[in-house]
Amino acid sequence: MPKHHQAVKRGKEEGFDVVLCDTSGRLHTNFSLMEELIACKKAVGKVVRGAPNEILLVLDGNTGLNMLPQAREFNEVVGITGLILTKLDGSARGGCVVSVVDELGIPVKFVGVGEGVEDLQPFDAEAFVNAIFS
């Protein structure tokens, strides 16, 4: 994917410590989109050896049990290093993420509790469990 390749190249040239490549809108059931994701990962790795350093899968807290097959597929294709669980600001509790962490061993790194950048918070396991059972 040329856009991601160009973004990482520019970040490297300009001395950035972090470049985020958002590949949102991918469905694990769409073969061509997953192939593009593989190409994106390869393109980024050509610019910076060892990149990408992190591959975070964003899971919607409302998704329910579909989280597990989704995470399985993405993990097989690109190797997920962490999870972000979003939409925990409403009625969603996101408890199904426990099965993802248990089966795949991928840690939850952040939770989204709103729409703003300040609403993306580091994951706190104790607070998460308390919220599920409250």
Side-chain angles (χ1 to χ4, degrees):
M1 298 181 96
K3 291 183 278 179
H4 296 100
H5 180 273
Q6 292 170 354
V8 173
K9 186 176 179 183
R10 182 172 175 191
K12 183 179 177 182
E13 290 169 353
E14 295 184 18
F16 287 98
D17 293 327
V18 175
V19 176
L20 299 175
C21 296
D22 181 357
T23 60
S24 64
R26 307 262 168 219
L27 294 173
H28 63 288
T29 56
N30 187 315
F31 180 78
S32 62
L33 290 177
M34 295 302 279
E35 288 294 309
E36 287 179 16
L37 191 58
I38 293 167
C40 174
K41 181 180 177 182
K42 288 179 182 177
V44 168
K46 287 179 182 177
V47 178
V48 176
R49 176 178 257 166
N53 303 79
E54 283 270 23
I55 299 177
L56 302 172
L57 176 62
V58 178
L59 295 170
D60 184 320
N62 290 311
T63 301
L65 290 175
N66 192 42
M67 279 183 194
L68 188 54
Q70 182 181 4
R72 278 185 196 133
E73 187 69 26
F74 277 96
N75 193 44
E76 276 185 35
V77 171
V78 293
I80 301 166
T81 60
L83 302 169
I84 299 174
L85 187 59
T86 63
K87 298 191 180 168
L88 298 181
D89 53 328
S91 62
R93 295 186 190 254
C96 291
V97 78
V98 173
S99 62
V100 176
V101 173
D102 183 52
E103 181 178 315
L104 302 177
I106 301 168
V108 177
K109 296 198 174 186
F110 297 96
V111 293
V113 295
E115 296 295 322
V117 69
E118 68 280 353
D119 297 322
L120 187 63
Q121 302 171 354
F123 178 68
D124 177 338
E126 187 174 336
F128 179 74
V129 170
N130 289 338
I132 287 177
F133 292 110
S134 65

